[in-house]
Amino acid sequence: MNAPNLLSDVTRRGFLAGAGALVVSFAIPAAAQESAPAAPAATEKPKLPGSLDDTPSLDAWIRIDADGTITVFTGKAELGQGTKTSLRQIAAEELEVEPASIKLITADTALTPNEGYTAGSQTIQNSGTAIRYASAQVRQILIAKASEKLGAPIEALKAQAGVIIGPNGAKASYGDLVGADFLHVNAAADTKLKPPAAYHAIGKPFARVDIPAKVTGGHAYVQDMRPSGMVHARVVRPPSYGAKLSGFADAAVRAMPGVIAVVRDGDFLAVVAEQEFQAVRAMRAMVGVAKWQEQAALPDQYDLPAFLEKSVAEVGTVTSVGADSVPGARTIEARFTRAYQMHGSIGPSSAIAMLDNGLTTVWTHTQGVYPDRKAIAQMLGVPEERVRCIHTEGSGCYGHNGADDAAADAALIAQTVPGKPVRVQWMRDQEHLWEPYGPAMLTRARATLDQSGNIVNWHYDLWSNSHGTRPGSAGSLIAGRLMARHFPPDPAKLQISPLGNGDRNAIPLYDVPNQRVNWHFVADMPLRVSSLRSLGAYCNVFSIESFMDELAQAANADPVEYRLRHLKDPRAKKVIEVAAQKFGWSQEALPEGRGRGFAFANYKNHAAYLAVALEANVDSDSGAIKVSRVVAAVDCGEAVAPDSIINQTEGGILQSMSWTLYEEVHFDRTRILSPDWSTYPILRFSAVPDTIDVQVVDNPGAPYLGVAEAAQGPTAGAIANAFRSATGKRIHDLPFTRERVKAVLGV
């Protein structure tokens, strides 16, 4: 399966200058990464909505050709969340065309705006908002131009199916109205959007455009790409972190059939061959002749909390409200932990790179083409404009997995065979052993209740790193660290912001008059770590929601009522009430070994609201926990694509179930011990709940809120609370393996 136009030298200027398009000039400023929005000063211009504030020019987002073809650009990537469909719906709504008529170009450093990373559930919230407002303004510009062309007042014109229609049958197509620099204007802060009552695309069911190829064996992923003239490469990794290559005899490998090149740069080893299995055989031969020096530098896996507590670099105050301590009737404390966990991508990471005429082009499933380009250019020692990164979907994603590293591998290897597309495909054990993991965490919670059982004082402490080591610099890449030049990793910094990272969702949304939340920052983690879906929110929400159930029990209150009692936000209350009602929540006794659990969170405290109720059975003999029924309610603002929201929520619930019940990276003092699915089990089809019912609480006209990562924390909390309901005992440590369950139950 060949990638279309794989070897073409496409630039943004060249792309926009062709076919009589209405744009001939263009400039994109560097976009800021995920950061807290600053309040505008009195003398500043009004903040533009979404990503328009970083890239305000309309021609960064919309192009219309003389033949009426509409192209929309986004710096965000399709990761399986349905972006390619939802963003078409958003643009089509304001441009008054059908979604199928929109051509969408996603993250490409030569063509699209720099929107940083596709992360934090911000694609619709930021890019979708930008495209929505840009599309609305483009429609208004087209109507104004049509008014001049047709000699009709603006109020007498309307856009419909790519045509501006006027009185007495007068009309002008979008293509008729294009002109040079037509959209090379900045977005207006006061652009008006269509009212929900007039929608024809937003909120309506549309078939996802990315699905057909995925279910028919078509060209769906970077792993599927087979450009003409492609050669195959495999890398050889050290056996452990910090291992140094002490000897390597490559003569026999170079003589193997099909071998084109053997690459050695410091501790970086790779082989290039004409055919894929030739590369695999040569890689295995290289493993046999490479000699490494190792050292035992890892901590005791079974004493991680102590390691985290003694490794604190500094302590940051996430929030401090009211008094430090207040008198009460009862004080309760608890401690929770999370193990290191993998992304565990089903398809090991892959990339294709080619050096041609001094330009290195990389097809990669990275979640940040611009940051990856910067890191790769630094690694290669070339200007950024000599590297182009094109996002191509990967068969395994969500978070900083091995995608950026595979891209760097391919780019580095491609320098040895110029003019040839080089395909790098990781092996299963390489993905498991070398991807960045979700960090281990420790949390402690303490709360004081008054005579009525209400929370009057809340202390929460977490031990964690930042969860983010994405590129970055060349030191964020495995190849960059292994090269003879050796780029060190970027120093970790404590950064507290409304978006959160390790501290994400550490502040409870619940109304407590006196709160302290402290982040005990661990700068240096012994295992390689980075962003795993929802970052610190998974462990923080698990801890907080487990603790809320303990407080409800201490107050002799129903867990749902207790949460509602401590909430003022009406949208938070709404999703809790909907989930409880649809589940049929009650305090009626269940059969022995069966329990019900409830949990809630507002992701990042400003994204999607999500509540989940579930029922689970606990087999004390085997230690197995079986979740049988799940009901969730989610409010992510205006629902652009309800079916995608349901899909994302269902997927988040299942992923969180897998983390919560099974997933834990094992290691000794020298090496990672989880190289495959037998040593790192994940959720199987047999463990999927009988029913998962997701209720979308729509808010037409409301701002978009990110939804993709909202389910992770609440699902873990609900499972923990169902276990407590079924057994009368609580598991404080993730994951809830069979061995851990039996130990807690004393079996």
Side-chain angles (χ1 to χ4, degrees):
M1 290 167 278
N2 294 330
N5 301 319
L6 179 63
L7 305 183
S8 63
D9 183 15
V10 179
T11 65
R12 175 79 196 201
R13 182 175 297 275
F15 180 82
L16 295 177
L22 55 73
V23 193
V24 296
S25 61
F26 180 80
I28 302 177
Q33 304 303 318
E34 241 185 67
S35 59
T43 58
E44 292 179 345
K45 294 181 180 179
K47 180 176 173 60
L48 293 172
S51 295
L52 285 175
D53 205 52
D54 293 318
T55 310
S57 185
L58 295 182
D59 58 12
W61 306 94
I62 310 290
R63 159 198 165 107
I64 301 179
D65 289 327
D67 64 0
T69 300
I70 300 172
T71 304
V72 173
F73 302 89
T74 174
K76 299 297 187 180
E78 173 67 72
L79 310 176
Q81 74 276 49
T83 292
K84 288 182 177 178
T85 305
S86 299
L87 293 181
R88 280 179 167 91
Q89 288 178 247
I90 290 170
E93 186 63 72
E94 295 295 343
L95 289 169
E96 295 291 6
V97 296
E98 289 303 309
S101 70
I102 298 284
K103 179 181 180 181
L104 183 73
I105 295 181
T106 63
D108 181 337
T109 58
L111 299 176
T112 65
N114 180 355
E115 293 193 81
Y117 293 105
T118 304
S121 300
Q122 294 190 101
T123 293
I124 300 300
Q125 187 175 12
N126 288 343
S127 197
T129 297
I131 289 170
R132 176 90 186 268
Y133 277 85
S135 299
Q137 189 173 344
V138 168
R139 169 172 47 85
Q140 291 162 15
I141 291 173
L142 289 167
I143 289 176
K145 289 292 182 181
S147 175
E148 298 175 5
K149 184 179 181 69
L150 300 177
I154 287 176
E155 57 271 17
L157 302 175
K158 68 174 182 178
Q160 181 178 318
V163 177
I164 307 299
I165 301 174
N168 301 319
K171 61 183 180 180
S173 71
Y174 290 178
D176 294 336
L177 301 171
V178 303
D181 290 338
F182 196 22
L183 295 183
H184 195 59
V185 296
N186 282 351
D190 59 351
T191 299
K192 292 184 179 180
L193 305 178
K194 289 176 59 178
Y199 288 171
H200 75 280
I202 289 177
K204 311 302 181 185
F206 287 95
R208 278 179 46 173
V209 299
D210 61 312
I211 295 299
K214 294 176 180 177
V215 299
T216 60
H219 176 260
Y221 302 116
V222 67
Q223 286 91 344
D224 298 324
M225 293 175 67
R226 297 294 188 275
S228 176
M230 183 182 74
V231 295
H232 296 268
R234 286 294 192 276
V235 294
V236 174
R237 296 293 189 219
S240 60
Y241 297 141
K244 297 297 181 182
L245 187 62
S246 59
F248 178 59
D250 64 355
V253 176
R254 291 182 182 276
M256 293 181 69
V259 170
I260 297 171
V262 173
V263 181
R264 179 181 179 181
D265 188 339
D267 296 318
F268 180 86
L269 288 178
V271 63
V272 184
E274 295 172 355
Q275 299 180 17
E276 185 165 19
F277 193 62
Q278 290 173 336
V280 172
R281 293 187 62 186
M283 175 203 68
R284 290 171 177 166
M286 291 171 68
V287 171
V289 298
K291 307 300 181 185
W292 302 90
Q293 291 180 340
E294 299 182 78
Q295 57 180 340
L298 300 180
D300 182 352
Q301 176 187 346
Y302 301 102
D303 198 18
L304 279 177
F307 171 82
L308 293 172
E309 287 187 301
K310 74 179 182 182
S311 301
V312 174
E314 59 181 310
V315 179
T317 300
V318 183
T319 191
S320 179
V321 179
D324 183 63
S325 62
V326 294
R330 185 175 180 184
T331 297
I332 299 171
E333 299 184 25
R335 188 197 83 162
F336 304 91
T337 69
R338 171 200 178 180
Y340 285 99
Q341 294 175 318
M342 291 184 188
H343 295 80
S345 296
I346 298 300
S349 295
S350 182
I352 292 177
M354 185 176 72
L355 172 63
D356 187 44
N357 293 323
L359 175 69
T360 299
T361 303
V362 187
W363 291 263
T364 165
H365 57 112
T366 177
Q367 291 182 223
V369 289
Y370 278 93
D372 206 22
R373 178 183 73 165
K374 177 182 177 182
I376 290 172
Q378 183 186 24
M379 179 188 73
L380 298 179
V382 300
E384 288 183 36
E385 59 267 23
R386 303 314 303 163
V387 176
R388 178 185 179 188
C389 288
I390 304 170
H391 179 268
T392 309
E393 196 172 351
S395 58
C397 205
Y398 293 123
H400 180 192
N401 63 357
D404 302 84
D405 296 302
D409 293 340
L412 183 58
I413 297 167
Q415 308 307 303
T416 66
V417 284
K420 292 182 178 294
V422 177
R423 179 179 184 267
V424 169
Q425 174 68 63
W426 280 16
M427 308 297 285
R428 168 53 54 196
D429 61 332
Q430 292 172 342
E431 184 75 35
H432 273 224
L433 298 177
W434 283 95
E435 66 140 275
Y437 303 132
M441 289 182 65
L442 165 67
T443 68
R444 296 184 187 274
R446 184 174 82 252
T448 299
L449 309 183
D450 64 15
Q451 292 289 348
S452 300
N454 297 319
I455 308 170
V456 294
N457 193 33
W458 178 280
H459 277 239
Y460 184 80
D461 293 83
L462 66 118
W463 285 258
S464 172
N465 82 317
S466 66
H467 288 237
T469 61
R470 296 179 186 269
S473 71
S476 302
L477 306 169
I478 296 174
R481 296 188 191 184
L482 296 179
M483 292 170 62
R485 185 177 174 185
H486 180 67
F487 295 90
D490 298 325
K493 297 179 181 179
L494 174 67
Q495 293 180 317
I496 296 173
S497 75
L499 291 170
N501 36 77
D503 63 323
R504 185 170 291 178
N505 276 101
I507 303 174
L509 197 69
Y510 300 110
D511 181 37
V512 180
N514 306 288
Q515 295 186 38
R516 295 292 181 280
V517 176
N518 297 312
W519 183 0
H520 303 258
F521 183 68
V522 181
D524 298 317
M525 299 292 279
L527 271 60
R528 187 184 185 217
V529 295
S530 194
S531 306
L532 179 58
R533 203 176 188 190
S534 82
L535 281 66
Y538 169 65
C539 183
N540 288 324
V541 173
F542 156 71
S543 304
I544 291 169
E545 289 300 291
S546 296
F547 195 52
M548 282 296 290
D549 258 40
E550 291 303 301
L551 299 180
Q553 184 177 42
N556 196 28
D558 175 84
V560 172
E561 182 277 324
Y562 195 71
R563 286 170 170 80
L564 292 171
R565 185 196 308 180
H566 287 89
L567 282 169
K568 292 181 178 178
D569 189 324
R571 294 173 75 171
K573 289 186 171 184
K574 178 70 171 180
V575 295
I576 289 175
E577 291 166 348
V578 169
Q581 187 271 325
K582 293 294 183 180
F583 182 80
W585 184 267
S586 75
Q587 288 294 84
E588 293 182 7
L590 292 172
E592 183 179 357
R594 184 180 304 171
R596 59 175 73 89
F598 197 94
F600 156 83
N602 173 211
Y603 184 50
K604 294 188 284 191
N605 284 0
H606 59 76
Y609 298 82
L610 188 140
V612 60
L614 58 81
E615 192 170 287
N617 294 281
V618 180
D619 186 334
S620 58
D621 291 332
S622 67
I625 299 173
K626 169 65 176 176
V627 177
S628 56
R629 183 168 69 99
V630 183
V631 174
V634 58
D635 170 4
C636 58
E638 181 168 77
V640 174
D643 189 57
S644 287
I645 294 168
I646 292 170
N647 293 340
Q648 284 292 288
T649 304
E650 289 176 345
I653 288 168
L654 294 176
Q655 184 178 49
S656 183
M657 282 180 55
S658 187
W659 292 348
T660 303
L661 298 178
Y662 305 102
E663 298 189 36
E664 179 176 12
V665 175
H666 293 279
F667 55 93
D668 60 21
R669 292 302 182 94
T670 304
R671 294 184 176 186
I672 309 298
L673 303 177
S674 300
D676 51 34
W677 297 121
S678 65
T679 52
Y680 188 85
I682 61 174
L683 186 78
R684 301 292 183 122
F685 283 110
S686 59
V688 171
D690 298 328
T691 61
I692 300 178
D693 178 16
V694 177
Q695 300 289 319
V696 177
V697 180
D698 195 7
N699 280 283
Y704 303 138
L705 303 178
V707 70
E709 300 174 346
Q712 271 66 18
T715 301
I719 294 172
N721 294 332
F723 180 86
R724 178 72 161 84
S725 169
T727 66
K729 296 185 178 182
R730 179 164 298 281
I731 301 182
H732 294 87
D733 304 303
L734 293 166
F736 302 169
T737 61
R738 294 188 178 206
E739 294 76 17
R740 187 162 282 150
V741 167
K742 290 193 288 185
V744 168
L745 297 179
V747 177

